[in-house]
Amino acid sequence: MEENKLKRFNKIFPWYDGLSGDLLFWVVIDTLFLTVVKNFTASQIVSLTSVSMIINILLQVPLLKIIHKIGNTKSVRLGSFLLLISSILLTFGKNYITIVIGKIFYEMAFTFQNMINAVLKNNLELQHKENEYIKYRTKANTIYAAVTMIISFIASIMFNINNYLPMIGCITFCVICFILSWYMVDYSKDDKKIIENNKERNKGKIQYFQGLSNLPAAGLEPARCCHQWILSPPRLPFRQAGCLSTLFILPKLETDCNCFFVCFEIKKRSVRRGLRVSLK
């Protein structure tokens, strides 16, 4: 029975991750929508991103605590739900404050939704398909790229027909992703102790590092898989983990693959320091 569920997960994952990679339609017409429909000024539009990013950075530590408490599966569902709420607020919000709240939910959603990478990794381990991680991520990225390309062609046409039509499409995609998120289950939860006992800590460290070093070659964003790795055994304190996660949110560092190596070195030194203390 569980084998069939894992196969279903493998089939649905690329579509879920591809369609939930961003707020489809919104990323194409966000500036146009805010200026024409919401009558926002250029300064207001710029401040939307600034305010939402700053608040999300400040919330990193509590968000990581929530992720650790509720687990991977519920984190993915919560992220999809927040993405749906943000699309509704961005579409029907009547004032600046409502749109800001929508943008904050939009940024928070991806912090939770990034745990889908941990779900994929754990489920592939149960199937002994660890080497196919990049394969499934590439499929998801291809779907996202193809759908975004199609939307970029039709969004302007839809906008000319009705200003709200593209955002209705955005909400529709969010509803679909929220439904699909209920199939994104981390089936390794019951076998977590077995998996951890079969792996030595050092081997686990090397495996995480090797996996992350291969991600840039596949064109993956560093920020999409850092959170679970930071909280993986040997686990860092939440304050330190939150500071590291913040690095991946900053736009300049989000596209810098060297962040992985920085994060790995910091974690490695932290582990060594902990070993010295324990030996003493």
Side-chain angles (χ1 to χ4, degrees), residues 70-253:
I70 66 178
N72 298 336
T73 301
K74 292 182 179 179
S75 294
V76 172
R77 293 173 182 172
L78 179 58
S80 298
F81 179 72
L82 288 175
L83 205 61
L84 173 60
I85 295 299
S86 69
S87 65
I88 294 174
L89 291 176
L90 291 172
T91 302
F92 300 108
K94 299 295 185 182
N95 52 56
Y96 179 80
I97 298 299
T98 307
I99 302 298
V100 169
I101 295 173
K103 282 285 288 184
I104 293 171
F105 283 169
Y106 169 76
E107 300 293 345
M108 290 174 56
F110 290 107
T111 301
F112 289 103
Q113 213 167 337
N114 285 340
M115 302 313 296
I116 190 61
N117 296 288
V119 176
L120 173 64
K121 179 182 176 297
N122 291 339
N123 286 346
L124 289 178
E125 282 183 351
L126 288 178
Q127 302 172 77
H128 306 290
K129 296 181 179 180
E130 296 91 339
N131 295 333
E132 296 186 14
Y133 179 87
I134 298 298
K135 171 186 170 183
Y136 284 97
R137 291 294 313 139
T138 303
K139 283 183 179 179
N141 289 342
T142 303
I143 291 174
Y144 172 75
V147 172
T148 304
M149 180 184 67
I150 295 171
I151 287 175
S152 64
F153 284 118
I154 65 174
S156 59
I157 299 174
M158 295 172 66
F159 189 82
N160 289 330
I161 296 174
N162 187 296
N163 294 160
Y164 282 92
L165 195 56
M167 292 305 297
I168 297 300
C170 177
I171 294 174
T172 303
F173 273 110
C174 289
V175 171
I176 293 173
C177 290
F178 180 66
I179 295 172
L180 292 179
S181 70
W182 290 88
Y183 296 97
M184 299 293 101
V185 180
D186 190 344
Y187 294 104
S188 70
K189 183 173 63 175
D190 296 332
D191 300 329
K192 188 174 182 182
K193 293 182 180 178
I194 298 174
I195 292 173
E196 289 181 353
N197 289 336
N198 290 337
K199 294 182 177 180
E200 297 178 5
R201 279 176 166 247
N202 290 336
K203 289 183 179 179
K205 259 197 306 180
I206 294 171
Q207 182 180 10
Y208 278 113
F209 174 67
Q210 289 176 340
L212 290 171
S213 64
N214 289 331
L215 293 182
L220 304 181
E221 297 176 14
R224 292 181 62 80
C225 53
C226 70
H227 297 296
Q228 177 67 12
W229 181 72
I230 289 171
L231 294 175
S232 65
R235 190 169 286 111
L236 294 176
F238 281 112
R239 182 176 296 178
Q240 192 172 353
C243 293
L244 287 176
S245 298
T246 299
L247 293 176
F248 294 93
I249 298 177
L250 299 177
K252 183 179 179 181
L253 294 179

Side-chain angles (χ1 to χ4, degrees), residues 11-26:
K11 292 179 180 178
I12 296 177
F13 169 80
W15 289 100
Y16 168 78
D17 196 64
L19 296 178
S20 64
D22 209 329
L23 279 180
L24 301 177
F25 285 101
W26 170 258

